[in-house]
Amino acid sequence: MRQHIVAMHQSCLNPAPDEEVALHQSATGKEDSHRILVVEADAILRTAMVAAIGAAGFRAIEAETGDGALRCLDRHGDIALVFTAINIPGNVDGVALAVQIHRDWPDIAIVITSGIVSLRQSSLPRRCRFLKKPYRPDDAIVCFRLLLELDREIPDFGLQSRHADIIGVGTN
């Protein structure tokens, strides 16, 4: 008999002091140690990615805005990767969010997505990738796995050390 995937997730959209921690689990019931924060304004895309992340064996939390994502990052010290759209509502867009994450939480991997602009990979920090919309959730999961397995100790030789480099917008 097939086990069901736990489809609950923790939301940082409306944080509350007594917020319940609900985790995604893989079909085997074994939790993966990596927590992924999904930052996407489109509720359908966000929900689909949270479900795909859970099905892949990762734990997921979500935020609709950059400001909400920063609250999640402040409250959860075990976030390993942030998957963010560039165009998100609020005071902090996806690019500014990525810059702040790279500065304040350098161990967190980042995947940025957009259907409107493209970011040159050469302008991004070592543990940051750009994924063009529309994307398949399976492709995003492969990208997440690669970044999470990337050895954090490999030096980037200063090629992408400036935080502002992440805003290099252009075509591939």
Side-chain angles (χ1 to χ4, degrees):
M1 180 175 203
R2 224 169 122 186
Q3 290 183 311
H4 296 284
I5 297 170
V6 177
M8 296 168 24
H9 62 274
Q10 178 177 354
S11 174
C12 287
L13 297 175
N14 299 309
D18 59 346
E19 191 172 65
E20 178 184 337
V21 176
L23 306 176
H24 275 277
Q25 294 182 327
S26 68
T28 63
K30 182 179 178 185
E31 288 180 17
D32 192 293
S33 62
H34 297 296
R35 184 182 296 221
I36 297 174
L37 171 59
V38 178
V39 188
E40 171 63 61
D42 184 308
I44 294 170
L45 289 177
R46 190 175 63 246
T47 300
M49 275 313 300
V50 167
I53 288 166
F58 298 109
R59 298 178 293 155
I61 58 176
E62 64 184 82
E64 183 178 7
T65 67
D67 302 313
L70 291 173
R71 284 191 302 272
C72 287
L73 288 161
D74 282 336
R75 291 179 29 226
H76 301 282
D78 64 342
I79 295 172
L81 184 141
V82 174
F83 181 53
T84 184
I86 288 178
N87 297 314
I88 51 177
N91 297 321
V92 180
D93 70 6
V95 172
L97 176 63
V99 169
Q100 188 164 348
I101 291 167
H102 183 64
R103 183 188 65 226
D104 296 343
W105 297 278
D107 289 337
I108 295 177
I110 306 163
V111 177
I112 303 172
T113 186
S114 176
I116 299 170
V117 299
S118 293
L119 298 178
R120 287 184 310 269
Q121 187 58 49
S122 63
S123 70
L124 300 175
R126 187 176 59 82
R127 293 190 72 230
C128 184
R129 295 292 179 269
F130 178 77
L131 186 63
K132 183 82 171 160
K133 284 183 180 178
Y135 54 82
R136 291 183 13 205
D138 290 345
D139 293 336
I141 297 298
V142 168
C143 184
F144 300 165
R145 287 189 192 286
L146 291 172
L147 280 173
L148 292 169
E149 293 172 6
L150 184 62
D151 183 4
R152 294 180 189 155
E153 300 305 317
I154 297 173
D156 67 5
F157 301 106
L159 296 175
Q160 299 162 353
S161 61
R162 296 177 190 254
H163 299 143
D165 286 347
I166 198 167
I167 61 172
V169 177
T171 58
N172 291 332

